[in-house]
Amino acid sequence: MSKRENVNVTNEEIENQKRIIRLVAEINAGSEKFAFVETYGCAQNVNDSERLLGMLEEMGYKKTDDKNKADVIIYNTCAVRENAELKVFGNIGALKALKRAKPSLIIGVCGCMMQQEHIVEQIKKRYKHVDIVFGTHSLYRFPEIFYNAENFHERVIEFVNEDGKIAENLPMHRDNSPLAGVSVMYGCNNFCTYCIVPYVRGRERSRMKEDIMKEVKNLAENGVKEIMLLGQNVNSYGKDIDGYIDFPDLLNEVSKADGIERIRFMTSHPKDLSDKLIDVMAQNKKVCKQLHLPIQCGSDKILKAMNRKYTSEQYLEKIRKVKEKIPNVTLTTDIIVGFPGEDNDDFEHTMEVLKTVRYDSVFSFIYSKRHGTPAEKMEDVLTKEEKKKNFDRMLELQNIISAEKNKEYDGKEFDILVEGESKTNPDFMTGRTDGGKIVNFKGEKSLVGKIVRVKITNAHTWSLSGELV
Ligand code: SAH
Ligand code: SF4
Ligand code: F3S
C-alpha cells in the first residue's frame, strides 16, 4: 500500500523509549514530582505538548501550572515570528533564579525554535542553566534525552537536521475536555518565502488512516465530541503515499466514528482547496461549516513574491464556490501586512478582499523576517511606521465587519457544544456554534460535553451571549 520507506520511527525505537519511561518511573516511585510545560505557537505545538506531558506522566510527573513547584520545566517554542522568539528568550532568562534556588530542577527547551542551528548555539552559549535542548524532530526521543540529563547530571543538546519522521504509539496527555486535536499530517512542502515552518517541521508526511482512526475512536470512548484535524496543509493529506485516500475521504472516514459529533480542520492552503472538499463540507453533517483559508495578501504581485501559487481572483473564485454550496459558512483568514516589496497600492488590494469576502474574523500579522528564508533578502518599500498604519487601518475595518457579521446572529437559535466554564464568570458556560463562534450563556457545569440549544441575546465583536432555550 505505502511506497514510503523510513517515514515512521521503528517499533523497536519506540519500545526503547518506552523502556526508559518505565525506568524513570521506577526511580520516581513513591515520590511526588511535578512537570510544568508551557506551549507557544500553533495547534501542532499544543499537540506535541500533549505527547510530552503524556511521556512525563508515565514517568511519574504530575502536570502543574506552578513553575515554583515544578521539578521539570519545559518550554515548547514557536519560531514563526520574531516576537514569539523574543518572548521565549525572556522567559528562559527568568528561570535562572529558580534554577539557582533549586539545582535539581531540570529545564528544557524544545519545539520549532530548537530546530534552528543558530538558536541552539545561542542557548548553548548564553543560557547555561538550560539542561536539555531538542527540536521537533527529536520529540519522540524525549525519554532518553531526559534520562541522560537527570541521571548523569549533564547538559543534553540534540540537533538533528533531517526531514522528520512520524512517531506513533507515544503516550498522550489529554485535558478533560470534549474537544481534541488530532494530527493527520506533519511538515510542509510549500515554502512560502516568508515562512520558517518548512525548515523547522520538515517535509510533508501523512499518518496512516488506521493510526488516525485508532486515536479518534479512543478519544470518542473517553468522551470527546469534537475533533480538530491538524496539519500545516491538510489538503495535501495522503499525497505522499501512492494511491492513498485524500483529505475529503479522510473527513468522511473520521465522521463514521461513533460519539464524534463535530469535525473541524486546520489549515487549508487555497491552491489545494478542491471542489471535492467543498462538497464534503456541504454534505457531511458532522463536518462543521467553518473554513479557515489564509489569503495572506490581496495583491497578485506580492502573492507571487510570497510563492503562494494563486492569484487573488483564483482565491475569490474558491470563496464564491464555498459560499454558494455552504450558505451559512463561517470564514476566517490570515493576513501578513508589510511583506517586502508591498506598497500602499498592494495593501489596498488586501483591504478590497476583506470588503468582498467579509470574513467573520481575520488573524493579521506584521511581516517578520525569518532567518534562512528567501524573503530575508528581499527589500522593504514601506517604513515600519507606514506598515503599522496600514495594519491599524485593517484592524479597524475588520472590527466593523466582524461586529456586523455577529449582529446577524442576534435573536437566532443555535446548537452549542458546551466546552467549559466561561473564563470571566463561573456562572456562565462557554461553547461554540457549528461555525465556531464563541457563545457564553448562563448554565450548569453538568452541561459540559453536551450540545444545547441557545438563543443569542447579545452580539459583541469577538463573541456572542445568549440564553438556554
Ligand atoms: N500552514 C498555515 C499557517 C502557518 S503559520 C498556512 O499556510 O496557512 C500561521 C500564519 O502565520 C500564516 O498563515 C501567516 O499569516 C503567518 N506568518 C507566517 N510566517 C510569518 C512571518 N515571517 N511574518 C509574519 N507572519 C507570518
Ligand atoms: Fe508556512 Fe506556507 Fe507552509 Fe503555511 S503553507 S506552513 S505559510 S510555508
Ligand atoms: Fe510556530 Fe512551529 Fe507552529 S513555528 S506556528 S509552533 S509549526
Side-chain angles (χ1 to χ4, degrees), residues 188 190-192 194-195 197-198 232 269 308:
C188 182
N190 286 322
F191 290 95
C192 303
Y194 50 81
C195 187
V197 171
Q232 290 298 347
H269 192 297
R308 288 294 286 181

Side-chain angles (χ1 to χ4, degrees), residues 65-132:
D65 294 325
D66 180 4
K67 268 184 220 140
N68 295 305
K69 204 167 139 185
D71 300 282
V72 190
I73 295 180
I74 296 181
Y75 288 141
N76 188 7
T77 64
C78 169
V80 83
R81 282 171 291 274
E82 193 185 13
N83 51 11
E85 295 194 335
L86 293 177
K87 201 152 85 189
V88 167
F89 279 123
N91 287 347
I92 302 173
L95 290 180
K96 216 176 236 171
L98 216 58
K99 177 81 177 181
R100 214 176 293 130
K102 188 179 186 177
S104 67
L105 171 69
I106 299 272
I107 298 177
V109 220
C110 66
C112 294
M113 273 173 80
M114 302 307 133
Q115 207 54 60
Q116 302 177 94
E117 207 161 8
H118 71 285
I119 300 274
V120 172
E121 282 307 311
Q122 221 168 316
I123 300 276
K124 217 191 238 173
K125 283 200 200 98
R126 290 205 226 138
Y127 298 84
K128 296 225 155 63
H129 58 295
V130 171
D131 303 288
I132 49 185

Side-chain angles (χ1 to χ4, degrees), residues 288-305:
C288 292
K289 310 306 174 226
Q290 173 193 21
L291 183 64
H292 180 63
L293 199 63
I295 184 166
Q296 311 298 359
C297 182
S299 150
D300 290 345
K301 178 187 98 192
I302 298 302
L303 285 171
K304 190 152 204 275

Side-chain angles (χ1 to χ4, degrees), residues 273-287:
L273 180 81
S274 64
D275 289 353
K276 184 172 169 188
L277 179 63
I278 301 174
D279 288 337
V280 168
M281 281 184 76
Q283 288 155 13
N284 190 320
K285 289 208 164 58
K286 286 191 182 177
V287 178

